[in-house]
Amino acid sequence: MGTDNVRIDDLSNLSAGVAPALAEGLWTSFWAGDRRACARLISKVENEPNAIPAIREHLAGKLGHAIRIGVTGPPGVGTSTLCSAIALGLADRQHRVGVIAVDPSSPFTGGAFMGDRVRMDKFVGDDRIFMRSLASREGRGGLSPSTPSVADVIEAFGMDRILIETVGVGQAELDVMNTADLVVLVLQPITGDAIQSMKAGIIEAADLIVVNKSDLPGADTVLQSLRFVYSLGSAKSGKAPPLLAVSAQQTEGIEELVDTIEQLSTSIVQSGRHQELRQMRLVEEIKSGIVDELWQRYLRQSDAERVIEEAAKQLVASGGSAYKFVREMCSKIQLTVDPKANA
Amino acid sequence: MSGSPIKVVVGKPGLDGHDRGAKVVARTLVEAGMEVVYLGLRQTPESIVAAALEEDADVIGLSVLSGAHMTHFKRVRALMEEKGLGDRLLTGGGIIPTKDQETLAALGVGRLFGPGDDPDAIVDYIRDWVREHPREDAV
Ligand SMILES: Nc1nc2c(ncn2[C@@H]2O[C@H](COP(=O)(O)OP(=O)(O)OP(=O)(O)O)[C@@H](O)[C@H]2O)c(=O)[nH]1
């Protein structure tokens, strides 16, 4: 298995510039506030991952102020109905609101049924709100990998509050915690005992818990069990998040809910938490960007793909360790860092 | 199939009451690998076109059983032109006489399907149409 030594510090073929150029007209329309251009740009981000770096370069400078609010909960609790009400409430408080509703793609066909607009038809044609449905695609039941970039596009378009709605207890909830500045967990009366079985992490990560459908009996029981769970000390900050009972359908408690979201938004900005979260996400983005870039350069200078394939085949047969092979491969790569770059 | 999934907005304009047909079609398209934004009942031509615009849909599919197909298809098609979505496909289903279909086709409406048609025929039609009408980058 001989790959010749490769140097990935070779700057002769950086990936930048490989990305397909976007029509200038698209940007002109986008900055002029053309919703069609915004929609088109989101599709670019969804469909052409290698166009994302160039697109984000264009957006830089316009980002950093919007609050991204993840709204998540088990299926059927009414997240769509609730997001619709929250979006309108925020718009009435002079915000421009983006709504991203993520639905699972079928792992078998790649298709997706996205029904969120059925409950979000109160603001079609409302200029204060931009709504987009996203299929989770290779995000396999979690968020679509393009979700953060889609949120960037919507923010740069001028939206300062962005709701990211996901349904399902599981990966989507965990993904949303890494994408959103605030996490709103939605529950309903009859999922009372579901609290025990919820993915570890989400209860702790929620900044706000909403018990929807409080017009149905049982909301109090859910509130009580939540208070009990938090009294055991399972909150992120050690402090229980606000718990609110609402009815999205009868628009009860919605004003208070939107006010609470506003207060939380203000407080994460004032405390510096918002910047901190942004910074944490940027660190991750930069790290994975470097990994991607180096990997691409490596591939361009070696037939690593084939060598790895070959090695895996042998490892299966021999029962050998993958890590030994990794060390061997890496020992053939010369990675030099300009000492001045670390100053 | 190569490339990104085809995106279809499916809606039911008008006030008539059930959406079984539209849902069946939506499911068929999903099973064929398409991403379907389902709008549900009682849509207006305006709300359907506004949704298609934000979703950047390749295709709008209408289900019209009320007999008001001429009005709805004409209006949606006109709005599509007005909002800059003239390069997208408008198709759909209902009980639509051949002569009406011809009139609508002359206005830029695509093929329309009836209750007797094989749902897979819709899938094939949409796939072929999208393949033959690649979208431009420029808005
Ligand atoms: N009684 C009652 N029903 C509600 C309320 N909010 C939503 N619903 C109903 O709950 C059902 C689910 O609502 P959606 O908003 O579609 O919920 P979702 O969680 O997005 O659901 P899926 O996307 O279908 O998993 C619908 O039938 C709603 O009408 C509420 O406050 N009270």
Side-chain angles (χ1 to χ4, degrees), chain A residues 18-310:
Chain A
V18 172
L22 279 183
E24 207 41 57
L26 183 64
W27 286 110
T28 315
S29 313
F30 178 77
W31 296 122
D34 179 344
R35 297 168 85 80
R36 203 169 39 128
C38 183
R40 192 79 201 108
L41 208 49
I42 294 173
S43 303
K44 283 272 161 203
V45 162
E46 275 194 277
N47 297 337
E48 295 169 32
N50 63 346
I52 291 179
I55 290 175
R56 295 183 64 148
E57 223 136 281
H58 268 266
L59 303 180
K62 304 282 180 185
L63 303 178
H65 299 290
I67 308 288
R68 298 170 188 209
I69 304 160
V71 181
T72 186
V77 296
T79 44
S80 305
T81 317
L82 198 64
C83 275
S84 171
I86 297 172
L88 285 164
L90 289 169
D92 288 343
R93 285 162 181 75
Q94 316 310 321
H95 290 295
R96 299 194 68 208
V97 186
V99 181
I100 302 172
V102 185
D103 290 289
S105 296
S106 156
F108 304 108
T109 68
F113 183 88
M114 306 191 274
D116 307 275
R117 279 185 180 268
V118 173
R119 319 252 174 244
M120 295 197 190
D121 62 348
K122 288 203 188 67
F123 49 71
V124 266
D126 186 332
D127 279 345
R128 304 170 302 171
I129 301 174
F130 189 101
M131 144 95 196
R132 177 71 172 230
S133 315
L134 285 190
S136 67
R137 299 215 177 156
E138 63 271 35
R140 291 283 168 263
L143 285 185
S144 152
S146 63
T147 309
S149 299
V150 171
D152 284 351
V153 171
I154 291 179
E155 176 175 357
F157 192 62
M159 304 316 191
D160 64 334
R161 292 287 183 271
I162 299 172
L163 300 176
I164 303 171
E165 187 215 337
T166 58
V167 167
V169 183
Q171 195 53 44
E173 284 186 337
L174 298 177
D175 282 357
V176 87
M177 302 190 312
N178 299 323
T179 309
D181 301 309
L182 290 173
V183 176
V184 179
L185 175 62
V186 189
L187 300 169
Q188 66 180 7
I190 34 182
T191 48
D193 53 328
I195 293 170
Q196 269 85 49
S197 61
M198 296 199 69
K199 263 274 187 313
I202 188 70
I203 286 273
E204 288 85 346
D207 297 283
L208 170 60
I209 298 195
V210 179
V211 178
N212 187 33
K213 307 195 189 182
S214 63
D215 52 297
L216 302 177
D220 286 341
T221 321
V222 182
L223 287 174
Q224 267 164 28
S225 29
L226 284 167
R227 285 195 196 99
F228 176 68
V229 167
Y230 283 109
S231 71
L232 301 176
S234 36
K236 189 162 53 180
S237 54
K239 207 174 87 207
L243 307 175
L244 293 175
V246 308
S247 168
Q249 209 174 53
Q250 317 207 341
T251 55
E252 263 169 51
I254 300 300
E255 288 301 302
E256 197 191 342
L257 167 60
V258 179
D259 286 338
T260 308
I261 290 175
E262 282 293 85
Q263 282 156 19
L264 290 169
S265 303
T266 313
S267 94
I268 59 165
V269 170
Q270 283 173 354
S271 68
R273 174 81 185 144
H274 186 234
Q275 287 302 332
E276 190 184 304
L277 285 166
R278 230 178 99 66
Q279 200 176 317
M280 274 162 51
R281 288 198 292 264
L282 279 172
V283 166
E284 288 313 310
E285 190 186 325
I286 292 167
K287 281 188 195 164
S288 65
I290 291 175
V291 170
D292 284 352
E293 175 70 38
L294 291 180
W295 175 249
Q296 290 306 328
R297 284 199 224 169
Y298 180 46
L299 287 187
R300 252 178 275 129
Q301 297 180 52
S302 67
D303 59 347
E305 209 98 70
R306 188 192 57 78
V307 175
I308 293 168
E309 200 83 45
E310 200 52 45

Side-chain angles (χ1 to χ4, degrees), chain A residues 35 40 43-44 117 133, chain B residues 35-36 38 54-56 137:
Chain A
R35 297 168 85 80
R40 192 79 201 108
S43 303
K44 283 272 161 203
R117 279 185 180 268
S133 315
Chain B
E35 294 181 348
V36 178
Y38 184 70
E54 286 186 346
E55 298 292 351
D56 194 32
D137 249 15

Side-chain angles (χ1 to χ4, degrees), chain B residues 4-139:
Chain B
S4 349
I6 296 171
K7 194 161 186 183
V8 188
V9 160
V10 172
K12 196 166 163 48
L15 296 174
D16 55 313
H18 76 84
D19 60 350
R20 226 176 33 233
K23 271 193 174 146
V24 169
V25 172
R27 290 282 172 205
T28 307
L29 300 181
V30 170
E31 276 158 29
M34 299 183 197
E35 294 181 348
V36 178
V37 176
Y38 184 70
L39 303 178
L41 290 169
R42 283 185 277 284
Q43 298 293 311
T44 64
E46 286 75 11
S47 67
I48 291 167
V49 174
L53 188 144
E54 286 186 346
E55 298 292 351
D56 194 32
D58 305 296
V59 181
I60 297 179
L62 301 184
S63 160
V64 184
L65 296 170
S66 62
H69 49 265
M70 290 306 273
T71 333
H72 293 316
F73 277 102
K74 271 187 195 165
R75 181 80 187 121
V76 169
R77 188 65 216 172
L79 280 168
M80 286 168 70
E81 302 287 350
E82 189 186 315
K83 305 285 182 194
L85 307 183
D87 60 341
R88 323 293 167 90
L89 171 63
L90 173 60
T91 178
I95 303 164
I96 301 161
T98 318
K99 120 179 134 15
D100 288 355
Q101 292 194 27
E102 284 163 5
T103 312
L104 291 170
L107 296 171
V109 176
R111 237 181 95 187
L112 301 174
F113 296 82
D117 284 313
D118 180 354
D120 289 337
I122 307 178
V123 171
D124 291 339
Y125 172 66
I126 291 179
R127 275 189 189 148
D128 290 346
W129 192 94
V130 170
R131 191 180 318 114
E132 285 157 18
H133 298 78
R135 298 258 304 277
E136 302 276 327
D137 249 15
V139 174

